[in-house]
Amino acid sequence: MLGRCISAEWMKLRYSHIWAILVALPVISVLIGCANFYMNQGVLTKEWYSLWSQVGLFYGEFFLPILIAICCAYIWRLEHLNKNWNMILAAPVPSAGIFLAKWIVVGVLLILVQAFFVLLYFIGGKTLGLNAGLPQELPGWLLRGWTAGLTISSVQLARSMRIRSFAVPVGMGLCAIFIGLGMYVARLGLFFPHSLLTVGMGVLSQTGLSCGENPVFWLMNILYIGVINTGAIWRMRKHDRVA
Amino acid sequence: MSEIIATYNLSKRYGDACRVKNVNLSVREGEIYGFLGPNGAGKTTTLKMILGLTRPTAGRVTVFGKGLEQNRRFILSQTGSLIESPSYYGHLTGLENMRVVQRLRDVPDRNVEEALRIVRLEKQKDRKVAQYSLGMKQRLGIAMALMSFPKLLILDEPTNGLDPAGIGEIRELIKALPQRYDMTVVISSHLLSEIEQTATSIGIIHEGMMLFQGSLEALKNEKLPTILVKTQNNALAQELLARKGYLPARDGDFLAFENLGDDQVAMLNRILVECGMDVLRIEERKKNLERIFLDMTGKGGSL
């Protein structure tokens, strides 16, 4: 059942402009990050780690959450237009299937984006003449970044499902970035979706999570995803929708 | 014949406005049920409640004899629908739009081809739907509803946006569905002529209330015919009859009487004859459906 929903969802992404966003935003973050690194080589002496601090800052802190918000808004916009709600709600599939299919599709897109980003990071580093080996924390950053990305996707999908406007949920996502930054500074980074991304990808501090923090990180992600997805599906079942 | 759709005191309230009030709708197997009402009468809201797209504030719905809430997926798997205006993804081609529905409904490829052929969109199937005309989108919507060749087909204003040839074609298609594919069809319209030519059974809704439900024949017999009387001197006759409590209207050479039973007609005749007034004609005029429909829903009520 879920498989059918996912394959229908995948079909809808054909010829879509969303692919341009998925490519452009990582490229922009890596370009800005590399330029910053190049111009400040005097202070940024830790090779790949320093490059990550620059590239990751723009990507993990700003462009990735924005990319997720746009992606989620787009994927619901398809249904908000042309009375498509009537069609998907009259299809013999459970409401959970419709929501989860969208969430999983966004998750798959995020894997592609993460992979593309790390490739750009590698190319950028080599172009800048870094010779040391890649940081061993890199896979962990990517995996935790993806997981936090899934949490943010849940939040943004739930918002974009309710709000017909494309821009409003994206704007709310932008606000959440700054709230997340505040939470991180206040050392509450493990308790807010957007700062989970900051923490998980190690963009502001590359020291990694302590043994105590690591389980909290995973637990908070699972908790957020579980609660928000369940809430959104419940809402879809219980509330009338104006197509 | 078993009952395919039944609603029991179905009501929908938005804030203070009651959009649908105590509607008891009944559709039997193999029927083409015409759901008729002026714009804003509550047709779409009722159909949406039957499909579970909108939750009723009171009352309940059964489809195929099963409660909607508990058997939603089973019912939807046997039901094709086109509600409000057609749903489509404009950036995809007609065929790809069909594929989206195909995947959601899990039907074989030949159903897709067959449905496109029936609505005659095979040649346009590789064009982006954003470039389709309204009529073509409507055809695509009908093809999507037909795709699984469901037991129950619900089409909300199916001929919207079609040209006269297209309207005729879709009308013939709808008429053929019950025999060819064993379907039960519900169509809604605000045009009596549309329903009159296709439906075997009709329901008339106005301001959220069901005013009539039954066959077209029963609707025609719902109202007593108008009685027309012609006499030697209509003016004098009118005066005479007014004294006895009859209040006819002048209608050309005739006096027209509404809602008269046979006894009253005989009495009227006797009064005139006894007064020495020659009665030249007594005729009855059946009301046409248009007239009955307008009387029911009120000319002022339609938007």
Side-chain angles (χ1 to χ4, degrees):
Chain A
M1 196 64 71
L2 188 56
R4 270 158 47 193
C5 294
I6 293 171
S7 100
E9 215 50 60
W10 201 251
M11 187 93 198
K12 296 177 200 167
L13 293 181
R14 280 203 189 177
Y15 329 106
S16 120
H17 299 303
I18 198 74
W19 299 103
I21 301 282
L22 299 186
V23 171
L25 293 187
V27 169
I28 294 172
S29 10
V30 170
L31 282 179
I32 301 178
C34 285
N36 232 15
F37 177 84
Y38 182 72
M39 287 187 287
N40 297 290
Q41 270 168 323
V43 264
L44 300 170
T45 52
K46 288 197 285 179
E47 295 238 322
W48 288 105
Y49 286 92
S50 297
L51 180 62
W52 183 264
S53 73
Q54 299 306 300
V55 168
L57 175 69
F58 289 101
Y59 176 73
E61 200 54 53
F62 296 105
F63 287 107
L64 182 58
I66 292 172
L67 182 150
I68 295 171
I70 293 176
C71 232
C72 295
Y74 175 80
I75 219 161
W76 275 118
R77 182 184 159 79
L78 293 170
E79 317 303 346
H80 290 316
L81 290 177
N82 304 327
K83 313 263 179 200
N84 286 337
W85 272 106
N86 285 341
M87 179 169 79
I88 56 168
L89 290 183
V93 291
S95 307
I98 296 170
F99 187 87
L100 291 179
K102 289 188 185 293
W103 184 69
I104 290 168
V105 164
V106 172
V108 172
L109 294 179
L110 288 183
I111 292 179
L112 300 178
V113 170
Q114 290 286 78
F116 181 55
F117 168 72
V118 81
L119 179 72
L120 291 173
Y121 168 69
F122 180 74
I123 294 171
K126 283 289 166 197
T127 314
L128 289 167
L130 302 181
N131 293 315
L134 288 167
Q136 60 185 25
E137 293 92 338
L138 192 57
W141 290 336
L142 290 171
L143 178 67
R144 281 194 296 269
W146 179 68
T147 310
L150 287 179
T151 303
I152 297 174
S153 304
S154 288
V155 177
Q156 290 298 127
L157 277 176
R159 276 187 191 137
S160 291
M161 180 181 83
R162 277 180 51 201
I163 304 171
R164 284 182 72 92
S165 154
F166 186 87
V168 170
V170 176
M172 289 165 88
L174 210 58
C175 291
I177 290 174
F178 292 106
I179 297 172
L181 214 51
M183 296 287 277
Y184 179 82
V185 172
R187 302 196 170 280
L188 294 168
L190 287 171
F191 302 101
F192 190 74
H194 287 70
S195 41
L196 278 172
L197 182 61
T198 310
V199 175
M201 277 197 93
V203 294
L204 292 179
S205 130
Q206 283 91 49
T207 47
L209 296 168
S210 69
C211 290
E213 284 171 328
N214 212 21
V216 178
F217 173 85
W218 291 103
L219 189 73
M220 284 312 292
N221 277 302
I222 292 166
L223 207 65
Y224 264 115
I225 291 172
V227 169
I228 294 169
N229 285 8
T230 311
I233 292 163
W234 182 83
R235 203 189 152 81
M236 202 193 289
R237 286 210 190 106
K238 293 292 163 204
H239 284 254
D240 286 355
R241 184 140 307 270
V242 180
Chain B
M1 283 203 300
S2 63
E3 203 164 40
I4 297 288
I5 304 176
T7 72
Y8 303 94
N9 292 323
L10 197 64
S11 305
K12 181 70 187 180
R13 180 184 286 280
Y14 288 103
D16 284 342
C18 220
R19 204 61 77 69
V20 173
K21 278 178 233 164
N22 298 324
V23 165
N24 295 304
L25 184 141
S26 161
V27 179
R28 296 180 165 282
E29 194 174 355
E31 270 184 344
I32 298 176
Y33 185 95
F35 198 31
L36 187 63
N39 296 331
K43 301 185 294 287
T44 299
T45 309
T46 306
L47 295 181
K48 282 175 119 174
M49 286 192 281
I50 291 170
L51 288 165
L53 300 180
T54 297
R55 253 148 282 271
T57 20
R60 61 195 182 88
V61 178
T62 64
V63 183
F64 307 120
K66 293 177 198 291
L68 183 67
E69 285 290 320
Q70 311 77 38
N71 304 281
R72 182 180 156 267
R73 263 165 62 199
F74 167 77
I75 291 169
L76 291 179
S77 70
Q78 309 283 323
T79 307
S81 60
L82 167 59
I83 296 293
E84 292 174 302
S85 52
S87 304
Y88 62 91
Y89 300 99
H91 65 291
L92 299 180
T93 66
L95 182 62
E96 284 159 347
N97 270 277
M98 294 290 280
R99 294 258 183 253
V100 170
V101 179
Q102 181 192 13
R103 290 178 184 190
L104 288 174
R105 292 195 164 259
D106 201 17
V107 297
D109 280 345
R110 67 185 145 78
N111 285 30
V112 175
E113 288 149 24
E114 171 85 356
L116 282 171
R117 194 186 54 72
I118 287 175
V119 300
R120 295 202 303 109
L121 270 182
E122 325 97 297
K123 292 207 181 87
Q124 269 84 30
K125 67 176 197 275
D126 294 320
R127 266 171 70 187
K128 297 242 164 101
V129 177
Q131 300 161 1
Y132 276 18
S133 68
L134 180 57
M136 287 161 74
K137 285 174 187 158
Q138 194 75 23
R139 283 165 190 270
L140 180 67
I142 294 172
M144 286 171 165
L146 273 175
M147 189 190 304
S148 56
F149 293 93
K151 281 206 186 103
L152 171 64
L153 185 68
I154 297 180
L155 302 174
D156 189 15
E157 313 245 346
T159 51
N160 249 356
L162 293 177
D163 52 32
I167 292 176
E169 197 182 316
I170 295 300
R171 189 188 294 141
E172 291 313 309
L173 167 67
I174 290 170
K175 276 198 214 167
L177 291 173
Q179 291 95 36
R180 250 171 84 190
Y181 302 105
D182 226 5
M183 284 185 198
T184 304
V185 186
V186 176
I187 49 171
S188 79
S189 178
H190 55 273
L191 296 173
L192 176 77
S193 56
E194 198 60 54
I195 297 292
E196 199 180 351
Q197 292 178 61
T198 39
T200 55
S201 175
I202 65 171
I204 296 180
I205 189 171
H206 180 52
E207 289 179 348
M209 283 181 292
M210 192 74 113
L211 299 181
F212 173 85
Q213 184 167 245
S215 67
L216 279 169
E217 231 14 73
L219 179 63
K220 280 179 194 155
N221 296 328
E222 176 88 337
K223 289 273 167 107
L224 290 169
T226 305
I227 299 294
L228 297 171
V229 177
K230 188 178 179 183
T231 64
Q232 263 176 329
N233 184 342
N234 282 347
L236 191 58
Q238 191 171 11
E239 209 175 297
L240 267 168
L241 288 168
R243 274 184 234 150
K244 302 281 182 186
Y246 291 95
L247 293 169
R250 294 293 285 269
D251 186 347
D253 284 346
F254 292 89
L255 296 172
F257 298 82
E258 301 288 345
N259 295 320
L260 290 191
D262 288 350
D263 301 351
Q264 290 168 295
V265 177
M267 175 64 83
L268 177 152
N269 185 40
R270 190 175 310 136
I271 292 168
L272 291 173
V273 173
E274 282 172 359
C275 294
M277 175 83 65
D278 287 342
V279 177
L280 306 177
R281 302 262 193 292
I282 297 182
E283 301 176 4
E284 70 169 21
R285 185 163 66 199
K286 287 233 158 144
K287 291 193 171 170
N288 64 18
L289 283 173
E290 195 72 52
R291 183 83 235 152
I292 296 171
F293 176 52
L294 282 176
D295 281 352
M296 272 186 177
T297 57
K299 285 177 210 158
S302 68
L303 292 170

